[in-house]
Amino acid sequence: MASGLYSKHLKNKKKLYIRNSILVAVLIIFAIISLFPIVYMIAWSFGPAIEAASTSYSIFPKSWSLDSYKAFLNFNQYSLRWLWNSVVVAVAVALGNVIFAGMAGYAFAKIDFKGRKFLFYLVLMAMMIPYQVVQVPLYILLVSKFQL
């Protein structure tokens, strides 16, 4: 017996097609709304900085150039190093999160140990705390301990 998303209209192909079409249209609209800021940011990075700071409201810049990238790369002799450091940190954090979250998820799902429920709820509670709440006290702690 079919269950889940397709169970109601599995026999009626027309209703299934209409429902799937509406679902795809809604998902495409949400994808466009979600991706718009990224596309806007990338497009304007190829425009002149003065035009990006102006009050013109267009999606794409009127003139395209690589001046912003040239300015960044010529800003300091360490510009490429800064970029490489950012890439290394981002990749390391992403890989570390995937590896350790995968191991923790496997342990919570498959291994039965004492205190599993408590630890699981503790992890869930920690995930519910927004980073912005922790950011300022963590900064104060680091500055006071390491005299930064």
Side-chain angles (χ1 to χ4, degrees):
M1 189 76 190
S3 63
L5 197 60
Y6 293 99
S7 62
K8 288 182 182 178
H9 310 295
L10 190 60
K11 303 267 188 243
N12 192 340
K13 297 291 184 188
K14 186 176 181 180
K15 284 184 181 179
L16 184 65
Y17 179 78
I18 291 171
R19 202 246 357 223
N20 284 348
S21 299
I22 292 171
L23 184 65
V24 166
V26 169
L27 289 175
I28 288 173
I29 289 169
F30 281 134
I32 290 170
I33 291 170
S34 298
L35 293 175
F36 177 74
I38 297 169
V39 171
Y40 185 80
M41 177 185 64
I42 292 171
W44 275 98
S45 74
F46 289 104
I50 294 173
E51 190 179 343
S54 70
T55 57
S56 65
Y57 297 110
S58 63
I59 296 174
F60 298 109
K62 292 180 180 114
S63 61
W64 296 77
S65 70
L66 295 173
D67 292 341
S68 297
Y69 292 100
K70 287 178 190 173
F72 171 74
L73 293 174
N74 295 330
F75 174 71
N76 194 317
Q77 64 181 0
Y78 301 113
S79 296
L80 281 175
R81 184 68 184 177
W82 296 339
L83 197 58
W84 177 247
N85 288 346
S86 298
V87 168
V88 168
V89 169
V91 168
V93 167
L95 282 175
N97 279 335
V98 167
I99 290 169
F100 288 110
M103 289 192 296
Y106 181 83
F108 284 131
K110 299 289 184 182
I111 302 171
D112 193 21
F113 57 91
K114 187 176 181 180
R116 181 177 77 162
K117 249 186 176 174
F118 174 74
L119 280 176
F120 181 68
Y121 288 131
L122 196 65
V123 168
L124 282 180
M125 285 190 297
M127 288 172 60
M128 289 180 201
I129 299 171
Y131 180 72
Q132 291 82 358
V133 172
V134 181
Q135 189 174 14
V136 172
L138 187 61
Y139 174 76
I140 292 170
L141 179 72
L142 286 174
V143 166
S144 66
K145 290 291 180 190
F146 297 112
Q147 286 82 32
L148 297 175

